[in-house]
Amino acid sequence: MLKKLLSILTTLCAAVFLTANIASAHVTVSPDQAPSNSYQKFTFRVPTEKNIPTTKLKIRVPEQVDVSLIEPVPGWKYSLEKNKDGKVTNITWTAEGKGLSSTEFGEFSVMGKIAANANKLEWKAYQTYKDGSVVKWIQEAGGDNPAPVTKVVKGSGEGDDHNAAASDSQDNQAEPKTADSGWPLYLSIIAVAISIIAFIITLTKKKK
């Protein structure tokens, strides 16, 4: 009986870890918060969730962002779609080689200015795999495929590029925290599992 319970607990813990990892494997944008009327570097992190490579990424640029520069990505080419006023509306990166395998992620960056009246930037993303299937990251927060979002706070109104440098610095400092953000949950699960096991062992000894 004890061995069966231990086996069940082990399976449950493994399932929780797997679910947490899958839930975190979304297309995201950094920074997740930025001041209005400022220039920013926006970086899209794209994980491959299938056993086949990611070969294309399309980002729909929010109306409240004026993209001016694209950072080159080795092994990828990009194309731009613009409206009649010359504003970039869509950016598509296409792999020139094998793309991103199931154990890889990629980062794609652009520079742009946030409008003075912006309050939320929703970057709808379309991830294409080698078999032609497309995952649309366009839902609201809480959905299975949420769109990457940058929250906009009131800026200084200067509109210079100093904010972009500050944003890069903040991103570099915040990354380790993001990577470890699941550990408190994992440790709590392990602690609960150990407590249950100890309780079962105690009951078993009393019965003897």
Side-chain angles (χ1 to χ4, degrees):
M1 180 64 180
L2 181 58
K3 288 183 178 180
K4 287 184 178 180
L5 289 172
L6 289 174
S7 177
I8 292 171
L9 285 172
T10 302
T11 302
L12 287 173
C13 288
V16 170
F17 275 96
L18 179 61
T19 303
N21 286 334
I22 292 174
S24 64
H26 293 161
V27 174
T28 58
V29 62
S30 178
D32 58 5
Q33 181 173 299
S36 61
N37 197 32
S38 69
Y39 287 93
Q40 295 290 328
K41 176 182 178 180
F42 298 99
T43 299
F44 306 96
R45 180 171 295 178
V46 183
T48 293
E49 296 179 302
K50 298 185 179 183
N51 291 325
I52 52 177
T54 293
T55 56
K56 185 185 293 185
L57 172 69
K58 179 179 179 179
I59 296 292
R60 189 175 297 280
V61 180
E63 292 184 4
Q64 296 167 313
V65 176
D66 189 5
V67 169
S68 54
L69 297 171
I70 314 294
E71 183 175 57
V73 180
W76 294 73
K77 61 182 180 180
Y78 65 87
S79 60
L80 306 176
E81 296 178 44
K82 301 180 180 180
N83 61 19
K84 61 181 181 179
D85 298 321
K87 182 180 182 297
V88 177
T89 56
N90 294 289
I91 309 167
T92 301
W93 288 270
T94 305
E96 296 180 303
K98 64 178 182 179
L100 302 172
S101 72
S102 58
T103 59
E104 298 176 331
F105 70 90
E107 292 186 332
F108 305 84
S109 299
V110 303
M111 285 285 293
K113 183 181 179 182
I114 304 174
N117 62 347
N119 51 37
K120 185 179 79 168
L121 307 177
E122 186 176 74
W123 306 84
K124 293 185 177 181
Y126 303 81
Q127 182 178 8
T128 302
Y129 287 88
K130 189 175 181 179
D131 63 356
S133 60
V134 180
V135 177
K136 301 178 180 180
W137 302 95
I138 60 175
Q139 297 178 356
E140 295 292 329
D144 292 335
N145 299 315
V149 172
T150 299
K151 179 183 177 181
V152 180
V153 296
K154 187 173 179 57
S156 63
E158 296 175 356
D160 56 32
D161 58 0
H162 293 292
N163 287 318
S167 175
D168 289 342
S169 175
Q170 290 171 359
D171 292 343
N172 292 333
Q173 294 175 2
E175 278 189 340
K177 187 182 293 184
T178 300
D180 296 336
S181 61
W183 280 110
L185 172 62
Y186 302 154
L187 292 174
S188 298
I189 294 170
I190 293 172
V192 171
I194 292 173
S195 299
I196 294 174
I197 292 170
F199 178 70
I200 293 171
I201 292 173
T202 301
L203 287 179
T204 303
K205 287 182 177 180
K206 286 182 177 180
K207 289 181 179 180
K208 290 181 179 180

